[in-house]
Coordinates of all heavy atoms in Angstrom, one line a residue:
T238 N 2.1 -7.6 6.6 CA 0.6 -7.7 6.7 C 0.0 -8.9 7.6 O -1.2 -9.2 7.5 CB 0.1 -8.1 5.2 OG1 0.7 -9.3 4.7 CG2 0.5 -7.0 4.4
K239 N 0.8 -9.4 8.5 CA 0.4 -10.5 9.4 C -0.8 -10.1 10.3 O -1.7 -10.9 10.5 CB 1.6 -11.0 10.1 CG 2.6 -11.8 9.4 CD 3.7 -12.4 10.3 CE 4.7 -13.2 9.4 NZ 5.7 -13.7 10.3
K240 N -0.7 -8.9 10.7 CA -1.7 -8.3 11.7 C -2.9 -7.5 10.9 O -3.7 -6.9 11.7 CB -1.1 -7.6 12.7 CG -0.1 -8.4 13.6 CD 0.5 -7.5 14.7 CE 1.4 -8.3 15.5 NZ 2.1 -7.5 16.7
I241 N -2.9 -7.6 9.7 CA -3.9 -6.8 8.9 C -4.8 -7.8 8.2 O -4.3 -8.8 7.6 CB -3.2 -5.9 7.9 CG1 -2.2 -5.0 8.6 CG2 -4.2 -5.0 7.1 CD1 -1.4 -4.1 7.6
S242 N -6.1 -7.5 8.2 CA -7.0 -8.5 7.5 C -6.8 -8.5 6.0 O -6.4 -7.5 5.5 CB -8.5 -8.0 7.8 OG -8.8 -6.7 7.1
D243 N -7.2 -9.6 5.4 CA -7.0 -9.7 3.9 C -7.8 -8.7 3.2 O -7.4 -8.2 2.2 CB -7.4 -11.2 3.5 CG -6.5 -12.2 4.1 OD1 -5.3 -11.9 4.4 OD2 -6.9 -13.4 4.1
H244 N -9.0 -8.4 3.7 CA -9.9 -7.4 3.1 C -9.2 -6.0 3.0 O -9.2 -5.4 2.0 CB -11.2 -7.3 3.8 CG -12.2 -6.2 3.3 ND1 -12.7 -6.4 2.1 CD2 -12.6 -5.1 3.9 CE1 -13.4 -5.2 1.8 NE2 -13.4 -4.5 3.0
T245 N -8.6 -5.7 4.2 CA -7.9 -4.3 4.3 C -6.7 -4.3 3.3 O -6.5 -3.3 2.6 CB -7.5 -4.0 5.8 OG1 -8.7 -4.0 6.5 CG2 -6.8 -2.7 5.8
V246 N -6.0 -5.4 3.3 CA -4.8 -5.5 2.5 C -5.2 -5.3 1.0 O -4.6 -4.5 0.3 CB -4.0 -6.8 2.6 CG1 -3.0 -7.0 1.6 CG2 -3.5 -7.0 4.0
A247 N -6.3 -6.0 0.6 CA -6.8 -5.9 -0.7 C -7.2 -4.5 -1.1 O -7.0 -4.0 -2.2 CB -7.9 -6.9 -0.9
R248 N -7.9 -3.9 -0.1 CA -8.3 -2.4 -0.4 C -7.2 -1.5 -0.6 O -7.1 -0.6 -1.5 CB -9.2 -1.9 0.8 CG -10.6 -2.6 0.9 CD -11.3 -2.1 2.1 NE -11.5 -0.6 1.9 CZ -11.6 0.3 2.9 NH1 -11.2 -0.2 4.2 NH2 -11.8 1.5 2.7
V249 N -6.2 -1.6 0.3 CA -5.0 -0.7 0.2 C -4.2 -1.0 -1.1 O -3.9 0.0 -1.8 CB -4.0 -1.0 1.4 CG1 -2.7 -0.2 1.2 CG2 -4.7 -0.6 2.7
L250 N -4.0 -2.3 -1.5 CA -3.4 -2.6 -2.6 C -4.1 -2.0 -3.9 O -3.4 -1.5 -4.8 CB -3.1 -4.1 -2.8 CG -2.1 -4.7 -1.8 CD1 -2.2 -6.2 -2.0 CD2 -0.7 -4.2 -2.1
E251 N -5.4 -2.2 -3.9 CA -6.2 -1.6 -5.0 C -6.1 -0.2 -5.1 O -5.9 0.5 -6.3 CB -7.6 -2.1 -4.7 CG -8.6 -1.5 -5.9 CD -10.0 -1.9 -5.7 OE1 -10.3 -2.6 -4.7 OE2 -10.8 -1.6 -6.5
K252 N -6.1 0.6 -4.0 CA -5.9 2.0 -4.0 C -4.6 2.4 -4.4 O -4.4 3.4 -5.1 CB -6.2 2.5 -2.6 CG -6.3 4.2 -2.5 CD -7.2 4.8 -3.5 CE -8.6 4.5 -3.1 NZ -9.5 5.2 -4.1
L253 N -3.5 1.7 -4.0 CA -2.1 2.0 -4.4 C -2.0 2.0 -5.9 O -1.4 2.8 -6.5 CB -1.1 1.1 -3.7 CG -0.9 1.2 -2.3 CD1 -0.1 0.0 -1.6 CD2 -0.2 2.5 -1.9
E254 N -2.6 0.9 -6.5 CA -2.5 0.7 -7.9 C -3.4 1.7 -8.7 O -2.8 2.4 -9.6 CB -3.1 -0.7 -8.3 CG -2.9 -1.0 -9.8 CD -3.3 -2.5 -10.1 OE1 -3.5 -3.2 -9.2 OE2 -3.4 -2.7 -11.3
E255 N -4.5 2.1 -8.1 CA -5.4 3.1 -8.7 C -4.7 4.4 -8.8 O -4.8 5.2 -9.8 CB -6.7 3.1 -7.9 CG -7.7 4.1 -8.4 CD -8.9 4.2 -7.4 OE1 -9.4 3.2 -7.0 OE2 -9.3 5.3 -7.2
T256 N -4.0 4.8 -7.7 CA -3.4 6.1 -7.6 C -2.0 6.2 -8.2 O -1.5 7.3 -8.4 CB -3.3 6.7 -6.1 OG1 -2.6 5.7 -5.4 CG2 -4.7 6.7 -5.5
G257 N -1.5 5.1 -8.6 CA -0.1 5.1 -9.1 C 0.9 5.4 -8.0 O 1.9 6.0 -8.5
Y258 N 0.7 5.1 -6.9 CA 1.6 5.4 -5.8 C 2.9 4.8 -6.1 O 3.1 3.7 -6.3 CB 1.0 5.0 -4.5 CG 2.0 5.2 -3.3 CD1 2.2 6.5 -2.7 CD2 2.8 4.1 -2.8 CE1 3.1 6.6 -1.7 CE2 3.7 4.4 -1.8 CZ 3.8 5.6 -1.2 OH 4.8 5.8 -0.2
I259 N 4.1 5.7 -5.9 CA 5.4 5.2 -6.0 C 6.1 5.5 -4.7 O 6.3 6.7 -4.3 CB 6.1 5.9 -7.2 CG1 5.4 5.6 -8.5 CG2 7.6 5.5 -7.3 CD1 6.0 6.3 -9.7
P260 N 6.5 4.5 -4.0 CA 7.2 4.7 -2.7 C 8.5 5.4 -2.8 O 9.2 5.3 -3.8 CB 7.3 3.4 -2.1 CG 7.4 2.5 -3.3 CD 6.5 3.0 -4.2
N261 N 8.9 6.3 -1.8 CA 10.2 6.9 -1.8 C 11.2 5.9 -1.4 O 11.5 5.9 -0.1 CB 10.2 8.1 -1.0 CG 11.5 8.9 -1.1 OD1 12.4 8.4 -1.4 ND2 11.3 10.1 -0.7
M262 N 11.7 5.0 -2.2 CA 12.5 3.9 -1.8 C 13.8 4.5 -1.1 O 14.4 3.8 -0.3 CB 12.8 3.0 -3.0 CG 11.7 2.3 -3.4 SD 10.8 1.3 -2.1 CE 12.2 0.1 -1.7
A263 N 14.4 5.6 -1.6 CA 15.6 6.1 -1.1 C 15.4 6.4 0.4 O 16.2 6.0 1.2 CB 16.0 7.3 -1.8
A264 N 14.4 7.1 0.7 CA 14.2 7.5 2.2 C 13.9 6.2 3.0 O 14.4 6.1 4.1 CB 13.0 8.4 2.3
T265 N 13.0 5.2 2.4 CA 12.7 4.1 3.1 C 14.0 3.2 3.4 O 14.2 2.8 4.6 CB 11.8 3.3 2.4 OG1 10.6 4.1 2.1 CG2 11.3 2.0 3.1

């Protein structure tokens, strides 16, 4: 997140939590 604004990071994190997003860790 070094090149991403704090505001954008906060928006993305909020949306990830809201949607219950679970990353595909195996593929990653």
Side-chain angles (χ1 to χ4, degrees):
T238 58
K239 289 183 179 179
K240 297 181 180 180
I241 307 174
S242 70
D243 292 342
H244 176 67
T245 299
V246 171
R248 289 179 64 217
V249 173
L250 289 175
E251 183 180 359
K252 183 58 66 175
L253 289 170
E254 183 175 354
E255 177 187 319
T256 59
Y258 174 78
I259 300 175
N261 186 340
M262 290 304 295
T265 302

